Amino acid sequence: MGTGSQWSRDKVYLRAKHEGFRSRASFKLIEIQEKFAIIRRDDNVIDLGAAPGSWLQVLRTLTEGRVLGIDLNPIAALDGIETIEGDITDPAIQQRAHEMLGSVSVVVCDAAPKLSGHKSYDQARAIALGEEALSFACNVLKPGGNFVIKSFQGADFPELFALIKEHFRAVKTYSTKATRKGSTEIYIIGKNFKG
């Protein structure tokens, strides 16, 4: 996220910068963790669509396990974080992630597709990205694992929610306080992967 003028007086953005996080998104994960306790101290965690790395920074503080970020774009180095540059739909990338971490307890994804400005197209792309992240999670998570994904409310949203419900014993939606007013952004939290 650029430091465009729209952010210059944004309290959440300024707090993120002040506390050394790469973006305001950090606080969304902190809030989700406080409410849902998705990450335990020894969990190995994969962050999909991890660039620029603000969720990775938070994850490093939440677990003593291994933390892996995957993105199509390079992720600037962070202490104690492993990264893979590649496509999450590529089976070779999924295999590599699994080999690096062994047991994976949590998969998170705060990625959003590049927006075109066409609402229905962007919505469909976001749902497709959600399905790709879910597929990745189902391939690497151990039974009982947790999943967090950003999505957007719209016509296709119930379909993604239902799909996640097929794979996790408890599924909830959550809008964070750090989300900009008027945004349709919503997080889906899947707990206790059926395996």
Side-chain angles (χ1 to χ4, degrees):
M1 180 183 308
T3 50
S5 58
Q6 73 186 94
W7 300 111
S8 58
R9 289 173 297 280
D10 181 309
K11 282 206 291 285
V12 178
Y13 176 76
L14 292 173
R15 185 179 153 208
K17 283 289 176 231
H18 176 71
E19 295 186 21
F21 291 120
R22 292 184 177 175
S23 84
R24 66 186 287 127
S26 306
F27 298 109
K28 297 174 185 179
L29 180 56
I30 291 166
E31 218 181 296
I32 289 165
Q33 174 66 7
E34 282 170 0
K35 189 160 176 58
F36 298 99
I38 49 160
I39 297 156
R40 293 171 297 263
R41 289 305 304 166
D42 59 349
D43 282 346
N44 289 342
V45 184
I46 296 179
D47 182 4
L48 305 177
S54 54
W55 274 33
L56 291 171
Q57 290 176 296
V58 175
L59 290 168
R60 186 67 285 162
T61 69
L62 297 177
T63 179
E64 286 153 21
R66 295 173 75 179
V67 177
L68 172 65
I70 304 175
D71 202 287
L72 288 168
N73 303 301
I75 302 162
L78 285 162
D79 272 355
I81 302 284
E82 298 166 86
T83 60
I84 297 175
E85 193 176 329
D87 185 339
I88 65 167
T89 63
D90 180 348
I93 295 289
Q94 297 182 14
Q95 182 67 28
R96 194 167 145 212
H98 205 273
E99 284 166 5
M100 285 171 76
L101 264 61
S103 172
V104 179
S105 303
V106 183
V107 173
V108 299
C109 180
D110 189 44
K114 295 222 181 328
L115 299 178
S116 69
H118 295 287
K119 207 167 181 178
S120 61
Y121 173 78
D122 290 341
Q123 165 81 28
R125 275 296 306 127
I127 297 300
L129 181 64
E131 289 172 354
E132 288 162 6
L134 174 63
S135 172
F136 182 101
C138 290
N139 285 334
V140 302
L141 274 178
K142 68 178 191 184
N146 297 332
F147 178 58
V148 175
I149 184 155
K150 173 164 75 184
S151 192
F152 298 89
Q153 288 160 309
D156 301 328
F157 178 79
E159 197 180 313
L160 177 63
F161 186 79
L163 206 54
I164 293 172
K165 276 186 92 156
E166 286 175 21
H167 298 282
F168 293 86
R169 296 191 197 289
V171 182
K172 294 197 163 61
T173 57
Y174 184 65
S175 294
T176 69
K177 294 184 190 74
T179 298
R180 292 193 299 272
K181 298 240 181 308
S183 170
T184 62
E185 176 184 281
I186 192 161
Y187 288 88
I188 304 174
I189 291 95
K191 293 189 80 171
N192 201 348
F193 178 55
K194 292 174 185 176

